[in-house]
PDB file of all heavy atoms in Angstrom:
ATOM      1  N   ALA A  22    -113.856  64.807 148.967  1.00  0.00           N
ATOM      2  CA  ALA A  22    -113.266  64.627 147.823  1.00  0.00           C
ATOM      3  C   ALA A  22    -114.028  65.215 146.562  1.00  0.00           C
ATOM      4  O   ALA A  22    -113.361  65.751 145.688  1.00  0.00           O
ATOM      5  CB  ALA A  22    -113.225  63.153 147.636  1.00  0.00           C
ATOM      6  N   MET A  23    -115.338  65.290 146.645  1.00  0.00           N
ATOM      7  CA  MET A  23    -116.083  65.899 145.622  1.00  0.00           C
ATOM      8  C   MET A  23    -115.752  67.442 145.632  1.00  0.00           C
ATOM      9  O   MET A  23    -115.626  67.997 144.522  1.00  0.00           O
ATOM     10  CB  MET A  23    -117.602  65.735 145.859  1.00  0.00           C
ATOM     11  CG  MET A  23    -118.208  64.216 145.763  1.00  0.00           C
ATOM     12  SD  MET A  23    -117.997  63.652 144.017  1.00  0.00           S
ATOM     13  CE  MET A  23    -119.350  64.589 143.188  1.00  0.00           C
ATOM     14  N   GLU A  24    -115.644  68.161 146.693  1.00  0.00           N
ATOM     15  CA  GLU A  24    -115.280  69.434 146.795  1.00  0.00           C
ATOM     16  C   GLU A  24    -113.902  69.691 146.218  1.00  0.00           C
ATOM     17  O   GLU A  24    -113.722  70.660 145.605  1.00  0.00           O
ATOM     18  CB  GLU A  24    -115.311  69.974 148.274  1.00  0.00           C
ATOM     19  CG  GLU A  24    -116.678  70.220 148.752  1.00  0.00           C
ATOM     20  CD  GLU A  24    -117.263  71.348 148.160  1.00  0.00           C
ATOM     21  OE1 GLU A  24    -116.683  72.274 147.716  1.00  0.00           O
ATOM     22  OE2 GLU A  24    -118.700  71.175 147.953  1.00  0.00           O
ATOM     23  N   ARG A  25    -112.865  68.726 146.491  1.00  0.00           N
ATOM     24  CA  ARG A  25    -111.546  68.773 145.894  1.00  0.00           C
ATOM     25  C   ARG A  25    -111.654  68.739 144.322  1.00  0.00           C
ATOM     26  O   ARG A  25    -110.886  69.479 143.785  1.00  0.00           O
ATOM     27  CB  ARG A  25    -110.692  67.649 146.456  1.00  0.00           C
ATOM     28  CG  ARG A  25    -110.080  68.007 147.736  1.00  0.00           C
ATOM     29  CD  ARG A  25    -108.890  66.902 148.020  1.00  0.00           C
ATOM     30  NE  ARG A  25    -109.358  65.572 148.169  1.00  0.00           N
ATOM     31  CZ  ARG A  25    -109.899  65.108 149.186  1.00  0.00           C
ATOM     32  NH1 ARG A  25    -110.037  65.762 150.335  1.00  0.00           N
ATOM     33  NH2 ARG A  25    -110.306  63.757 149.199  1.00  0.00           N
ATOM     34  N   LEU A  26    -112.606  67.819 143.948  1.00  0.00           N
ATOM     35  CA  LEU A  26    -112.716  67.794 142.383  1.00  0.00           C
ATOM     36  C   LEU A  26    -113.148  69.125 141.824  1.00  0.00           C
ATOM     37  O   LEU A  26    -112.489  69.623 140.902  1.00  0.00           O
ATOM     38  CB  LEU A  26    -113.666  66.662 142.038  1.00  0.00           C
ATOM     39  CG  LEU A  26    -113.116  65.122 142.131  1.00  0.00           C
ATOM     40  CD1 LEU A  26    -114.257  64.303 142.048  1.00  0.00           C
ATOM     41  CD2 LEU A  26    -112.049  64.928 141.199  1.00  0.00           C
ATOM     42  N   LYS A  27    -114.150  69.653 142.484  1.00  0.00           N
ATOM     43  CA  LYS A  27    -114.706  70.902 142.020  1.00  0.00           C
ATOM     44  C   LYS A  27    -113.703  72.026 142.164  1.00  0.00           C
ATOM     45  O   LYS A  27    -113.544  72.816 141.177  1.00  0.00           O
ATOM     46  CB  LYS A  27    -116.001  71.363 142.974  1.00  0.00           C
ATOM     47  CG  LYS A  27    -116.528  72.682 142.562  1.00  0.00           C
ATOM     48  CD  LYS A  27    -117.701  73.065 143.546  1.00  0.00           C
ATOM     49  CE  LYS A  27    -118.146  74.380 143.300  1.00  0.00           C
ATOM     50  NZ  LYS A  27    -119.081  74.862 144.367  1.00  0.00           N
ATOM     51  N   ALA A  28    -112.833  72.131 143.108  1.00  0.00           N
ATOM     52  CA  ALA A  28    -111.861  73.086 143.267  1.00  0.00           C
ATOM     53  C   ALA A  28    -110.580  72.919 142.325  1.00  0.00           C
ATOM     54  O   ALA A  28    -110.008  73.849 141.880  1.00  0.00           O
ATOM     55  CB  ALA A  28    -111.356  73.172 144.777  1.00  0.00           C
ATOM     56  N   ASN A  29    -110.253  71.671 142.128  1.00  0.00           N
ATOM     57  CA  ASN A  29    -108.919  71.275 141.504  1.00  0.00           C
ATOM     58  C   ASN A  29    -108.989  70.905 139.942  1.00  0.00           C
ATOM     59  O   ASN A  29    -108.034  71.196 139.304  1.00  0.00           O
ATOM     60  CB  ASN A  29    -108.141  70.281 142.247  1.00  0.00           C
ATOM     61  CG  ASN A  29    -107.834  70.702 143.676  1.00  0.00           C
ATOM     62  OD1 ASN A  29    -107.369  71.831 143.809  1.00  0.00           O
ATOM     63  ND2 ASN A  29    -107.846  69.810 144.616  1.00  0.00           N
ATOM     64  N   LEU A  30    -110.178  70.620 139.500  1.00  0.00           N
ATOM     65  CA  LEU A  30    -110.247  70.095 138.135  1.00  0.00           C
ATOM     66  C   LEU A  30    -110.067  71.310 137.120  1.00  0.00           C
ATOM     67  O   LEU A  30    -109.315  71.211 136.110  1.00  0.00           O
ATOM     68  CB  LEU A  30    -111.572  69.372 137.762  1.00  0.00           C
ATOM     69  CG  LEU A  30    -111.534  67.850 138.285  1.00  0.00           C
ATOM     70  CD1 LEU A  30    -112.977  67.237 137.843  1.00  0.00           C
ATOM     71  CD2 LEU A  30    -110.330  67.040 137.663  1.00  0.00           C
ATOM     72  N   PRO A  31    -110.577  72.444 137.467  1.00  0.00           N
ATOM     73  CA  PRO A  31    -110.366  73.540 136.568  1.00  0.00           C
ATOM     74  C   PRO A  31    -108.793  73.897 136.367  1.00  0.00           C
ATOM     75  O   PRO A  31    -108.422  74.225 135.236  1.00  0.00           O
ATOM     76  CB  PRO A  31    -111.046  74.809 137.203  1.00  0.00           C
ATOM     77  CG  PRO A  31    -112.187  74.023 137.952  1.00  0.00           C
ATOM     78  CD  PRO A  31    -111.542  72.846 138.417  1.00  0.00           C
ATOM     79  N   GLY A  32    -107.952  73.711 137.191  1.00  0.00           N
ATOM     80  CA  GLY A  32    -106.591  73.893 137.180  1.00  0.00           C
ATOM     81  C   GLY A  32    -105.804  72.877 136.336  1.00  0.00           C
ATOM     82  O   GLY A  32    -104.708  73.089 135.845  1.00  0.00           O
ATOM     83  N   LYS A  33    -106.612  71.760 136.120  1.00  0.00           N
ATOM     84  CA  LYS A  33    -106.137  70.746 135.174  1.00  0.00           C
ATOM     85  C   LYS A  33    -106.669  70.594 133.712  1.00  0.00           C
ATOM     86  O   LYS A  33    -106.737  69.653 133.137  1.00  0.00           O
ATOM     87  CB  LYS A  33    -106.248  69.417 135.944  1.00  0.00           C
ATOM     88  CG  LYS A  33    -105.550  69.374 137.170  1.00  0.00           C
ATOM     89  CD  LYS A  33    -105.643  68.023 137.964  1.00  0.00           C
ATOM     90  CE  LYS A  33    -104.836  68.005 139.181  1.00  0.00           C
ATOM     91  NZ  LYS A  33    -103.416  68.334 139.216  1.00  0.00           N
ATOM     92  N   GLY A  34    -107.233  71.820 133.439  1.00  0.00           N
ATOM     93  CA  GLY A  34    -107.800  71.886 132.042  1.00  0.00           C
ATOM     94  C   GLY A  34    -109.277  71.485 131.791  1.00  0.00           C
ATOM     95  O   GLY A  34    -109.813  71.424 130.730  1.00  0.00           O
ATOM     96  N   TRP A  35    -110.057  71.380 132.973  1.00  0.00           N
ATOM     97  CA  TRP A  35    -111.488  71.074 132.922  1.00  0.00           C
ATOM     98  C   TRP A  35    -112.360  72.264 133.203  1.00  0.00           C
ATOM     99  O   TRP A  35    -111.951  73.073 134.101  1.00  0.00           O
ATOM    100  CB  TRP A  35    -111.774  69.871 133.980  1.00  0.00           C
ATOM    101  CG  TRP A  35    -111.062  68.693 133.628  1.00  0.00           C
ATOM    102  CD1 TRP A  35    -109.805  68.190 133.998  1.00  0.00           C
ATOM    103  CD2 TRP A  35    -111.619  67.517 132.898  1.00  0.00           C
ATOM    104  NE1 TRP A  35    -109.599  67.042 133.411  1.00  0.00           N
ATOM    105  CE2 TRP A  35    -110.644  66.545 132.792  1.00  0.00           C
ATOM    106  CE3 TRP A  35    -112.992  67.357 132.301  1.00  0.00           C
ATOM    107  CZ2 TRP A  35    -110.882  65.378 132.188  1.00  0.00           C
ATOM    108  CZ3 TRP A  35    -113.201  66.161 131.619  1.00  0.00           C
ATOM    109  CH2 TRP A  35    -112.128  65.199 131.558  1.00  0.00           C
ATOM    110  N   LYS A  36    -113.529  72.301 132.510  1.00  0.00           N
ATOM    111  CA  LYS A  36    -114.499  73.316 132.894  1.00  0.00           C
ATOM    112  C   LYS A  36    -115.648  72.614 133.546  1.00  0.00           C
ATOM    113  O   LYS A  36    -116.260  71.640 132.912  1.00  0.00           O
ATOM    114  CB  LYS A  36    -114.955  73.833 131.554  1.00  0.00           C
ATOM    115  CG  LYS A  36    -116.042  74.953 131.762  1.00  0.00           C
ATOM    116  CD  LYS A  36    -116.677  75.581 130.422  1.00  0.00           C
ATOM    117  CE  LYS A  36    -117.827  76.426 130.809  1.00  0.00           C
ATOM    118  NZ  LYS A  36    -118.678  76.658 129.720  1.00  0.00           N
ATOM    119  N   ILE A  37    -115.921  73.183 134.760  1.00  0.00           N
ATOM    120  CA  ILE A  37    -117.136  72.541 135.567  1.00  0.00           C
ATOM    121  C   ILE A  37    -118.450  73.030 134.834  1.00  0.00           C
ATOM    122  O   ILE A  37    -118.636  74.227 134.819  1.00  0.00           O
ATOM    123  CB  ILE A  37    -116.994  72.949 137.060  1.00  0.00           C
ATOM    124  CG1 ILE A  37    -115.656  72.612 137.711  1.00  0.00           C
ATOM    125  CG2 ILE A  37    -118.184  72.382 137.754  1.00  0.00           C
ATOM    126  CD1 ILE A  37    -115.352  71.171 137.654  1.00  0.00           C
ATOM    127  N   VAL A  38    -119.172  72.051 134.453  1.00  0.00           N
ATOM    128  CA  VAL A  38    -120.405  72.352 133.712  1.00  0.00           C
ATOM    129  C   VAL A  38    -121.524  72.438 134.685  1.00  0.00           C
ATOM    130  O   VAL A  38    -122.464  73.273 134.617  1.00  0.00           O
ATOM    131  CB  VAL A  38    -120.740  71.228 132.675  1.00  0.00           C
ATOM    132  CG1 VAL A  38    -122.108  71.470 132.003  1.00  0.00           C
ATOM    133  CG2 VAL A  38    -119.677  71.256 131.631  1.00  0.00           C
ATOM    134  N   SER A  39    -121.521  71.518 135.808  1.00  0.00           N
ATOM    135  CA  SER A  39    -122.473  71.629 136.846  1.00  0.00           C
ATOM    136  C   SER A  39    -121.998  70.902 137.990  1.00  0.00           C
ATOM    137  O   SER A  39    -121.102  70.054 137.968  1.00  0.00           O
ATOM    138  CB  SER A  39    -123.839  70.882 136.378  1.00  0.00           C
ATOM    139  OG  SER A  39    -123.616  69.606 136.252  1.00  0.00           O
ATOM    140  N   TYR A  40    -122.525  71.261 139.174  1.00  0.00           N
ATOM    141  CA  TYR A  40    -122.101  70.800 140.457  1.00  0.00           C
ATOM    142  C   TYR A  40    -123.344  70.947 141.399  1.00  0.00           C
ATOM    143  O   TYR A  40    -123.886  72.039 141.607  1.00  0.00           O
ATOM    144  CB  TYR A  40    -120.879  71.417 141.051  1.00  0.00           C
ATOM    145  CG  TYR A  40    -120.438  70.873 142.260  1.00  0.00           C
ATOM    146  CD1 TYR A  40    -119.581  69.663 142.386  1.00  0.00           C
ATOM    147  CD2 TYR A  40    -120.770  71.436 143.614  1.00  0.00           C
ATOM    148  CE1 TYR A  40    -119.258  69.230 143.547  1.00  0.00           C
ATOM    149  CE2 TYR A  40    -120.426  70.810 144.803  1.00  0.00           C
ATOM    150  CZ  TYR A  40    -119.583  69.725 144.851  1.00  0.00           C
ATOM    151  OH  TYR A  40    -119.229  69.185 145.982  1.00  0.00           O
ATOM    152  N   GLY A  41    -123.830  69.892 141.965  1.00  0.00           N
ATOM    153  CA  GLY A  41    -124.873  69.933 142.821  1.00  0.00           C
ATOM    154  C   GLY A  41    -125.720  68.693 142.760  1.00  0.00           C
ATOM    155  O   GLY A  41    -125.314  67.658 142.169  1.00  0.00           O
ATOM    156  N   PRO A  42    -127.006  68.633 143.391  1.00  0.00           N
ATOM    157  CA  PRO A  42    -127.853  67.469 143.324  1.00  0.00           C
ATOM    158  C   PRO A  42    -128.206  67.043 141.975  1.00  0.00           C
ATOM    159  O   PRO A  42    -128.494  67.935 141.191  1.00  0.00           O
ATOM    160  CB  PRO A  42    -128.911  67.798 144.292  1.00  0.00           C
ATOM    161  CG  PRO A  42    -128.690  69.126 144.824  1.00  0.00           C
ATOM    162  CD  PRO A  42    -127.494  69.808 144.099  1.00  0.00           C
ATOM    163  N   ASP A  43    -128.196  65.732 141.635  1.00  0.00           N
ATOM    164  CA  ASP A  43    -128.649  65.332 140.302  1.00  0.00           C
ATOM    165  C   ASP A  43    -130.169  65.140 140.346  1.00  0.00           C
ATOM    166  O   ASP A  43    -130.711  65.586 141.279  1.00  0.00           O
ATOM    167  CB  ASP A  43    -127.854  63.900 139.905  1.00  0.00           C
ATOM    168  CG  ASP A  43    -128.365  62.802 140.861  1.00  0.00           C
ATOM    169  OD1 ASP A  43    -129.337  62.848 141.611  1.00  0.00           O
ATOM    170  OD2 ASP A  43    -127.785  61.824 140.652  1.00  0.00           O
ATOM    171  N   ALA A  44    -130.686  64.664 139.279  1.00  0.00           N
ATOM    172  CA  ALA A  44    -132.150  64.677 139.131  1.00  0.00           C
ATOM    173  C   ALA A  44    -132.752  63.397 139.772  1.00  0.00           C
ATOM    174  O   ALA A  44    -134.011  63.191 139.740  1.00  0.00           O
ATOM    175  CB  ALA A  44    -132.459  64.658 137.711  1.00  0.00           C
ATOM    176  N   SER A  45    -131.960  62.485 140.304  1.00  0.00           N
ATOM    177  CA  SER A  45    -132.587  61.309 140.912  1.00  0.00           C
ATOM    178  C   SER A  45    -133.366  61.547 142.141  1.00  0.00           C
ATOM    179  O   SER A  45    -133.142  62.626 142.795  1.00  0.00           O
ATOM    180  CB  SER A  45    -131.396  60.302 141.251  1.00  0.00           C
ATOM    181  OG  SER A  45    -130.734  60.754 142.345  1.00  0.00           O
ATOM    182  N   PRO A  46    -134.093  60.618 142.589  1.00  0.00           N
ATOM    183  CA  PRO A  46    -134.934  60.860 143.762  1.00  0.00           C
ATOM    184  C   PRO A  46    -134.067  61.036 145.129  1.00  0.00           C
ATOM    185  O   PRO A  46    -134.461  61.715 146.011  1.00  0.00           O
ATOM    186  CB  PRO A  46    -135.817  59.498 143.990  1.00  0.00           C
ATOM    187  CG  PRO A  46    -135.847  59.028 142.620  1.00  0.00           C
ATOM    188  CD  PRO A  46    -134.608  59.418 141.821  1.00  0.00           C
ATOM    189  N   SER A  47    -132.870  60.457 145.018  1.00  0.00           N
ATOM    190  CA  SER A  47    -132.061  60.535 146.136  1.00  0.00           C
ATOM    191  C   SER A  47    -131.211  61.927 146.149  1.00  0.00           C
ATOM    192  O   SER A  47    -130.363  62.186 147.101  1.00  0.00           O
ATOM    193  CB  SER A  47    -131.139  59.462 146.162  1.00  0.00           C
ATOM    194  OG  SER A  47    -130.144  59.448 145.055  1.00  0.00           O
ATOM    195  N   LYS A  48    -131.222  62.612 145.027  1.00  0.00           N
ATOM    196  CA  LYS A  48    -130.508  63.943 144.887  1.00  0.00           C
ATOM    197  C   LYS A  48    -129.026  63.739 145.134  1.00  0.00           C
ATOM    198  O   LYS A  48    -128.499  64.524 145.940  1.00  0.00           O
ATOM    199  CB  LYS A  48    -131.057  64.922 145.706  1.00  0.00           C
ATOM    200  CG  LYS A  48    -132.645  65.245 145.643  1.00  0.00           C
ATOM    201  CD  LYS A  48    -132.778  65.867 144.238  1.00  0.00           C
ATOM    202  CE  LYS A  48    -134.334  66.231 144.241  1.00  0.00           C
ATOM    203  NZ  LYS A  48    -134.740  66.141 142.717  1.00  0.00           N
ATOM    204  N   SER A  49    -128.439  62.737 144.515  1.00  0.00           N
ATOM    205  CA  SER A  49    -127.136  62.560 144.634  1.00  0.00           C
ATOM    206  C   SER A  49    -126.150  63.664 144.303  1.00  0.00           C
ATOM    207  O   SER A  49    -126.536  64.365 143.176  1.00  0.00           O
ATOM    208  CB  SER A  49    -126.637  61.259 143.892  1.00  0.00           C
ATOM    209  OG  SER A  49    -127.202  60.133 144.392  1.00  0.00           O
ATOM    210  N   LEU A  50    -125.095  63.924 144.928  1.00  0.00           N
ATOM    211  CA  LEU A  50    -124.308  65.099 144.581  1.00  0.00           C
ATOM    212  C   LEU A  50    -123.543  64.656 143.320  1.00  0.00           C
ATOM    213  O   LEU A  50    -123.008  63.479 143.190  1.00  0.00           O
ATOM    214  CB  LEU A  50    -123.322  65.170 145.691  1.00  0.00           C
ATOM    215  CG  LEU A  50    -122.201  66.275 145.511  1.00  0.00           C
ATOM    216  CD1 LEU A  50    -122.804  67.761 145.187  1.00  0.00           C
ATOM    217  CD2 LEU A  50    -121.222  66.407 146.605  1.00  0.00           C
ATOM    218  N   GLU A  51    -123.575  65.449 142.214  1.00  0.00           N
ATOM    219  CA  GLU A  51    -122.862  65.149 140.932  1.00  0.00           C
ATOM    220  C   GLU A  51    -122.040  66.431 140.471  1.00  0.00           C
ATOM    221  O   GLU A  51    -122.530  67.472 140.530  1.00  0.00           O
ATOM    222  CB  GLU A  51    -123.987  64.883 139.913  1.00  0.00           C
ATOM    223  CG  GLU A  51    -123.502  64.659 138.647  1.00  0.00           C
ATOM    224  CD  GLU A  51    -124.462  64.349 137.549  1.00  0.00           C
ATOM    225  OE1 GLU A  51    -125.516  64.960 137.664  1.00  0.00           O
ATOM    226  OE2 GLU A  51    -124.409  63.357 136.707  1.00  0.00           O
ATOM    227  N   LEU A  52    -120.889  66.058 139.939  1.00  0.00           N
ATOM    228  CA  LEU A  52    -120.136  66.978 139.135  1.00  0.00           C
ATOM    229  C   LEU A  52    -119.927  66.578 137.778  1.00  0.00           C
ATOM    230  O   LEU A  52    -119.721  65.384 137.490  1.00  0.00           O
ATOM    231  CB  LEU A  52    -118.720  67.005 139.872  1.00  0.00           C
ATOM    232  CG  LEU A  52    -117.622  67.987 139.238  1.00  0.00           C
ATOM    233  CD1 LEU A  52    -116.762  68.574 140.352  1.00  0.00           C
ATOM    234  CD2 LEU A  52    -116.909  67.170 138.275  1.00  0.00           C
ATOM    235  N   VAL A  53    -120.193  67.653 136.837  1.00  0.00           N
ATOM    236  CA  VAL A  53    -120.002  67.233 135.411  1.00  0.00           C
ATOM    237  C   VAL A  53    -119.121  68.203 134.848  1.00  0.00           C
ATOM    238  O   VAL A  53    -119.093  69.430 135.206  1.00  0.00           O
ATOM    239  CB  VAL A  53    -121.338  67.393 134.756  1.00  0.00           C
ATOM    240  CG1 VAL A  53    -121.145  67.147 133.087  1.00  0.00           C
ATOM    241  CG2 VAL A  53    -122.358  66.365 135.191  1.00  0.00           C
ATOM    242  N   ALA A  54    -117.993  67.747 134.147  1.00  0.00           N
ATOM    243  CA  ALA A  54    -116.889  68.750 133.627  1.00  0.00           C
ATOM    244  C   ALA A  54    -116.662  68.317 132.217  1.00  0.00           C
ATOM    245  O   ALA A  54    -116.681  67.030 131.920  1.00  0.00           O
ATOM    246  CB  ALA A  54    -115.737  68.703 134.625  1.00  0.00           C
TER     247      ALA A  54
END
């Protein structure tokens, strides 16, 4: 689902600012748009 967001949000008017592990100790996958 995270991959779908990364692939499909730009077509809905969103600019992906970042995608990848966040700064938390668990390195959670994060998408910012």
Side-chain angles (χ1 to χ4, degrees):
M23 293 293 288
E24 286 294 326
R25 275 193 297 279
L26 286 168
K27 180 183 173 195
N29 295 323
L30 284 180
K33 298 185 180 304
W35 292 86
K36 178 183 179 207
I37 305 298
V38 176
S39 65
Y40 182 81
D43 67 9
S45 72
S47 63
K48 303 291 184 210
S49 296
L50 181 59
E51 179 183 38
L52 176 143
V53 176

